[in-house]
């Protein structure tokens, strides 16, 4: 079981993050490596919308977090999902600070030996992040900032 | 008995409504089992910060969560000297 | 609604395929573009296992297809899933021919305005490929080739 | 009446058991409504290729699917001159 959690203060490219993660697979070729049994990978990428929750054009989305606790809490959530589904590996990268429409907010990638656990693990880890990792979003439309309370529906 | 200090942290809307984000607070010597809920009311966060979600003394607004030393904790857990206590408004991550 | 289907006779890198797909997003910035409303992306990558269905070390996996029908059938399946979930875009890339353990067999990527349709659409499209697109797998262990009848369980 | 030709294609295990992958077949002049199922038995694919899954004349082995002109079709659909008919063993994609 391999786990990586990273927060980004600046824009990040999820495909670059996935490529870095994939290099671990290519470098660790022992048959016992968690990578060797992970024939199935599920990813999720969430980006900043172009409209606010109220339907106005969004200038930016601000993401506040709790430095230290946020990272530790994501690791606890990911370890629980990894154990529950017998996953081989998981990667969580999350943006913090001020992000622009279209920029990546969150990347979740998990690997497992079969597609079912990979897909379910990826979904559960994303829901856990949304509900149980300390992040707070503020939408900026022009000069007005409005804190969101809760998440968009599934 | 030495002064028992805890660090209290507020985030996001809660921080902005209260006007501060971090404060060192001395636990009263005569309340050895003081909890996050007790401190919420002692710091008058309920009056000034809870908004429409305000609860009565004795409980926290239901939308809030408490972290002690950077892990979720019960709001009724007795605080220890040196604890970092955080009041967390509703989460919107991912 | 944007759809791309590609079959690969040679090894392909799913992250390179995703990057090429992402460049469409970056080049097409009109607010009406399907990309603009696709804040959620779900991906699935399937690779050749290192063991056969019988648990023997696998030398290679051979994938036969029905040239012409396979591509047309994937497009029909994808169009149905795109319509059913109101998805913004979908990408399917699939390996054919002789593939080695660890090599990518299938990439499915879909975009939608919310995470639920993106995740469900990606899962349904993968199941549709597995059951209703004409592909046949033959496992090679040493000199013996064995046709698989049906798929691994979810 | 002109000769009505169809192309018959077999795939994977089915092709290897039959020993051929593609064949041009003339539909009998006296059977204007000949179907994929009829042709399956006329070509003796049932005897030589169906294995344990063999069905009785009048039906196809239940694990097989039929494509006409590169789209799934009913095995009972009458064939037309020029059709490309394929017998598809169980699929294992993705």
């Amino acid at each position: 079981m391999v786990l990586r959690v990273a927060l980004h203060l600046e824009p990040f490219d999820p495909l670059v993050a996935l490529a870095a993660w994939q290099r671990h697979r290519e470098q660790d070729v022992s048959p016992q490596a968690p990578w060797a049994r992970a024939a199935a990978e599920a990813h999720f990428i969430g980006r900043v919308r172009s409209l606010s929750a109220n339907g106005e054009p969004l200038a930016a989305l601000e993401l506040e977090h709790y430095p230290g606790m946020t990272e530790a809490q994501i690791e606890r959530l990911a370890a629980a999902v990894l154990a529950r589904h017998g996953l081989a590996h998981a990667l969580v990268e999350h943006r913090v600070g001020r992000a622009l429409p279209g920029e990546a907010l969150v990347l979740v990638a998990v690997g497992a030996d079969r597609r079912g656990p990979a897909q379910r693990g990826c979904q559960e880890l994303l829901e856990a992040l949304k509900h149980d990792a300390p992040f707070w979003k503020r939408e900026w439309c022009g000069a007005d900032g409005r804190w969101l309370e809760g998440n968009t529906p599934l | 008995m030495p002064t028992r200090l805890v660090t209290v942290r507020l985030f996001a809307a809660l921080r902005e409504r209260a006007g501060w984000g971090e404060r060192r607070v001395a636990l009263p010597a005569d309340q050895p089992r003081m909890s996050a809920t007790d401190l919420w009311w002692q710091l008058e966060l309920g009056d000034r910060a809870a908004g429409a979600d305000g609860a009565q003394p004795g409980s926290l607004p239901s939308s809030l969560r408490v972290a002690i030393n950077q892990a979720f904790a019960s709001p009724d857990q007795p605080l220890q000297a040196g604890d970092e206590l955080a009041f967390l408004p509703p989460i919107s991550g991912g």
Side-chain angles (χ1 to χ4, degrees), chain A residues 64-69 73 76 94 105-106 126 129-138 147-151, chain B residues 9-17 63 65-67 69-72 84-94:
Chain A
E64 183 167 331
H65 73 298
Y66 184 169
M69 177 173 174
Q73 180 65 8
R76 285 188 285 259
H94 207 295
L105 277 183
V106 61
L126 179 65
L129 290 179
K130 290 201 164 264
H131 297 102
D132 294 318
F135 288 108
W136 299 275
K137 286 181 182 151
R138 175 152 56 173
W147 290 102
L148 297 180
E149 304 227 326
N151 292 293
Chain B
R9 300 186 66 171
L10 305 178
F11 289 90
L14 205 53
R15 181 192 65 240
E16 300 202 335
R17 287 192 297 233
S63 66
R65 284 198 273 184
V66 161
N69 300 326
Q70 307 201 346
F72 287 121
E84 177 174 303
L85 166 65
F87 294 105
L88 308 179
I91 278 170
S92 56

Side-chain angles (χ1 to χ4, degrees), chain B residues 43-62:
Chain B
L43 293 172
E44 298 185 344
L45 289 164
D47 295 334
R48 295 168 56 196
D53 199 22
Q56 296 306 307
S59 70
L60 268 191
S62 63

Side-chain angles (χ1 to χ4, degrees), chain A residues 11-94:
Chain A
F12 77 105
D13 183 336
L15 297 184
V16 170
L18 285 168
W21 192 230
Q22 185 174 278
R23 277 194 292 278
H24 287 282
R25 164 197 291 275
E26 288 156 4
Q27 282 162 12
D28 187 356
V29 294
S30 75
Q32 288 75 35
W35 310 101
R37 64 180 184 87
E41 250 177 71
H43 306 160
F44 180 84
I45 297 170
R47 295 176 189 276
V48 181
R49 287 162 209 283
S50 49
L51 298 178
S52 75
N54 294 336
E56 296 165 88
L58 191 72
L61 186 71
E62 183 186 338
L63 267 123
E64 183 167 331
H65 73 298
Y66 184 169
M69 177 173 174
T70 301
E71 297 89 326
Q73 180 65 8
I74 294 175
E75 286 182 11
R76 285 188 285 259
L77 296 170
V81 171
L82 281 160
R84 186 156 61 244
H85 293 283
L87 303 179
H89 57 83
L91 170 67
V92 176
E93 309 223 356
H94 207 295

